[in-house]
Amino acid sequence: MPVLRSFRVQITAWYLALFALLFILFSVFLYATLDQALKNRLDEMLGAESRSAAALFLSEMQEMKGDAPAAAIESVAEMSVRGVVLAIFAGPRLLAANNSGPREILSDLVRSARATAPGTAFAVPRYSAEGGRAVIQQVEYEGNAYRVIALSSQESIAADLTLVRSLLYFGLPLLFLAAGLGGFWLATRSLRPLRLMGEQTRSITSQNLSRRLEIGPSSEELETLAQTFNELLARLDSSFETMHRLIADASHELRTPIAIIRGEADVALDRDRPPAEYRESLSTIHQESIRLSSLIDDLLNLARADAGYVVLRMGQLYCNDLLVECCRSVQGLAAAKAISVECLASADIEYRGDEALLRRMLLNLLDNAIRFTPHGGRIIASLSQSGDALAIGVSDSGAGVSAEAAPHVFDRFYCGDEARSREAGGFGLGLSIVKWIAEAHRGSVELTSTPGGGATFTVRLPF
């Protein structure tokens, strides 16, 4: 049922069940304690009366020179207590009693109480409908044994317990009703911030991810929950903003080579041309298609990386050999700009990683350095080991990166200052791929640069 699925109802039900269980247990404990306390008080009173009667009986025996029946009658008469039956026996024979009704019961008590220690209280079920309590004292005079009995009904105890039971029977339902209503009110009041959060969350869409949840003063747990939701919204907002920027930048980058390819095709098909002009148009289309294919490959690699679909093919390799090979691969590009490439990797350093991805990372760093190093400049690629980490550095003698652009150089399609713009031939994805490969190997990449003093990219990979 929908009502039973309500969180407020469930909390109230659990609260009421726990409260009822605890209060019922407390009521049972209280009732049992009260019953025992009333019986103990009655036993103490009977014990005091029996001892007083025994002492008085001995005193009367001395005054009457051992006349037991007369002393018993006198003692019982003087010790008349309302609700208490006093009786004195000489063996099985009743000497005197202040109540003629329970004589048979008293005789039975004397015969059956031999196993009961003198002065010990015990129950007498036959005395009345509610039962009774009795205490027997042992008295000796001139070699003769006498028993003094104090007996009382438990009617007063039963009356008190009946009153307590009535209060519990009528009071518990009212108490449970009040507890249920109070628990429901408390649950409603406590969950009000959750309802407010739900209403605000339903109004948040991809168009207003900048909104945040506001619940006002609340408990620490609910404030933590709201803060967690706000942090999630902030991450979603950042992801959507990055996605929109990525789509816009990718569209812009894709539009340029496609426009060039379409323009060259339109020019070539406009009219008959000499073979040389056709070859020139086809060459331009071929170059732009290569750039377009490279851009698409980079986008696919980054998309797979974001989705977690890329699996590293780990293996043992020598990083110094890999760096030397990469430096050798870019010698042609560097020579076209008269740039010298120096590789500082003489010692053998063994590492476990994905060789193909690490090669891609090094080539991207070197290609980036070549793009932004002026004609006749210098590039230094170094490899070193420090503690439990591997450091790969690529430095150039270009214009460097400004302080404003440095935090964004690893962003996708980022267009920095004029010295490092897309006019150098790149798409702004190379350094993003470098960062992803480094992080995939549990490493990091950082930039150190001063405007006009070149730039150094350092990749740190833990062993």
Side-chain angles (χ1 to χ4, degrees):
M1 296 178 61
V3 175
L4 297 180
R5 296 181 60 187
S6 172
F7 194 35
R8 289 182 300 172
V9 174
Q10 292 179 12
I11 290 179
T12 303
W14 280 107
Y15 167 78
L16 184 58
L18 180 61
F19 179 84
L21 176 62
L22 293 177
F23 202 83
I24 289 175
L25 292 177
F26 173 75
S27 299
V28 172
F29 172 77
L30 178 64
Y31 185 85
T33 303
L34 179 61
D35 182 25
Q36 188 61 43
L38 292 175
K39 289 179 179 179
N40 291 339
R41 188 174 65 179
L42 179 60
D43 292 343
E44 291 176 359
M45 187 269 291
L46 292 176
E49 292 297 328
S50 64
R51 288 192 297 272
S52 297
L56 182 60
F57 175 68
L58 289 178
S59 177
E60 294 292 338
M61 286 282 287
Q62 292 174 357
E63 291 180 3
M64 298 182 180
K65 309 300 182 181
D67 187 356
I73 293 173
E74 186 68 23
S75 300
V76 167
E78 292 184 14
M79 288 293 298
S80 178
V81 180
R82 182 179 179 182
V84 177
V85 177
L86 290 175
I88 301 176
F89 283 80
R93 183 169 62 91
L94 176 64
L95 298 179
N98 64 351
N99 190 321
S100 61
R103 290 175 180 266
E104 182 180 353
I105 296 175
L106 292 173
S107 299
D108 292 340
L109 287 179
V110 171
R111 288 191 294 268
S112 62
R114 295 176 180 177
T116 304
T120 303
F122 56 94
V124 185
R126 293 177 53 202
Y127 181 71
S128 65
E130 291 78 16
R133 305 286 295 178
V135 175
I136 298 180
Q137 300 291 343
Q138 183 77 24
V139 178
E140 291 186 3
Y141 182 79
E142 296 182 352
N144 296 318
Y146 303 91
R147 289 180 179 269
V148 179
I149 298 177
L151 173 65
S152 178
S153 173
Q154 296 186 116
E155 292 180 356
S156 61
I157 296 178
D160 292 341
L161 294 179
T162 300
L163 177 61
V164 172
R165 284 197 303 270
S166 300
L167 292 176
L168 292 177
Y169 291 154
F170 289 101
L172 282 180
L174 296 177
L175 187 63
F176 292 160
L177 177 61
L181 295 176
F184 187 79
W185 179 79
L186 287 175
T188 302
R189 185 175 182 275
S190 300
L191 295 176
R192 186 178 299 135
L194 285 179
R195 187 176 68 251
L196 181 61
M197 291 171 60
E199 295 173 353
Q200 296 181 51
T201 303
R202 281 192 293 270
S203 65
I204 297 176
T205 65
S206 59
Q207 306 300 322
N208 59 349
L209 282 174
S210 59
R211 290 187 57 184
R212 297 295 179 264
L213 302 182
E214 297 180 0
I215 61 173
S218 184
S219 62
E220 179 181 357
E221 292 77 9
L222 292 178
E223 288 181 356
T224 301
L225 180 61
Q227 182 180 357
T228 303
F229 269 112
N230 288 334
E231 292 174 355
L232 174 62
L233 290 173
R235 292 193 296 269
L236 287 176
D237 189 17
S238 177
S239 298
F240 269 80
E241 182 180 355
T242 301
M243 182 182 66
H244 292 156
R245 186 171 64 249
L246 177 62
I247 293 174
D249 292 340
S251 301
H252 176 75
E253 294 292 347
L254 290 170
R255 183 176 59 184
T256 301
I258 290 176
I260 294 175
I261 290 174
R262 181 175 179 179
E264 290 294 331
D266 289 341
V267 171
L269 296 174
D270 182 52
R271 58 184 176 82
D272 293 336
R273 297 179 180 276
E277 293 185 7
Y278 284 119
R279 285 195 297 271
E280 183 179 353
S281 295
L282 289 175
S283 176
T284 302
I285 291 174
H286 181 257
Q287 292 176 0
E288 292 301 322
S289 65
I290 292 176
R291 296 182 70 248
L292 186 61
S293 177
S294 177
L295 173 60
I296 293 174
D297 288 342
D298 288 343
L299 288 174
L300 287 176
N301 287 330
L302 290 173
R304 291 193 186 101
D306 291 341
Y309 292 150
V310 178
V311 179
L312 300 183
R313 296 179 175 85
M314 307 298 285
Q316 295 296 127
L317 57 102
Y318 285 95
C319 292
N320 54 309
D321 293 340
L322 183 61
L323 183 60
V324 170
E325 293 174 6
C326 292
C327 290
R328 188 181 299 116
S329 299
V330 299
Q331 286 293 342
L333 294 175
K337 297 178 65 175
I339 297 174
S340 65
V341 179
E342 183 177 355
C343 184
L344 305 179
S346 57
D348 289 340
I349 298 180
E350 190 174 3
Y351 182 76
R352 180 174 177 79
D354 189 318
E355 183 173 356
L357 290 181
L358 292 175
R359 185 186 303 275
R360 178 78 177 277
M361 179 186 71
L362 294 176
L363 289 176
N364 280 1
L365 287 174
L366 291 170
D367 179 71
N368 181 77
I370 292 173
R371 291 178 185 278
F372 302 112
T373 298
H375 190 276
R378 182 185 180 189
I379 296 175
I380 300 177
S382 62
L383 175 66
S384 61
Q385 180 179 353
S386 176
D388 57 352
L390 176 70
I392 303 174
V394 176
S395 303
D396 63 58
S397 58
V401 183
S402 65
E404 294 79 10
H408 307 287
V409 293
F410 297 104
D411 295 345
R412 298 170 189 181
F413 295 109
Y414 175 71
C415 180
D417 52 6
E418 184 178 357
R420 291 182 177 266
S421 66
R422 293 192 185 97
E423 296 177 359
F427 299 106
L429 294 177
L431 292 178
S432 297
I433 294 176
V434 169
K435 181 181 179 182
W436 161 63
I437 295 175
E439 291 177 349
H441 287 79
R442 300 178 295 109
S444 62
V445 58
E446 60 184 27
L447 166 65
T448 304
S449 177
T450 54
T456 299
F457 289 89
T458 304
V459 177
R460 303 187 187 279
L461 304 175
F463 283 100

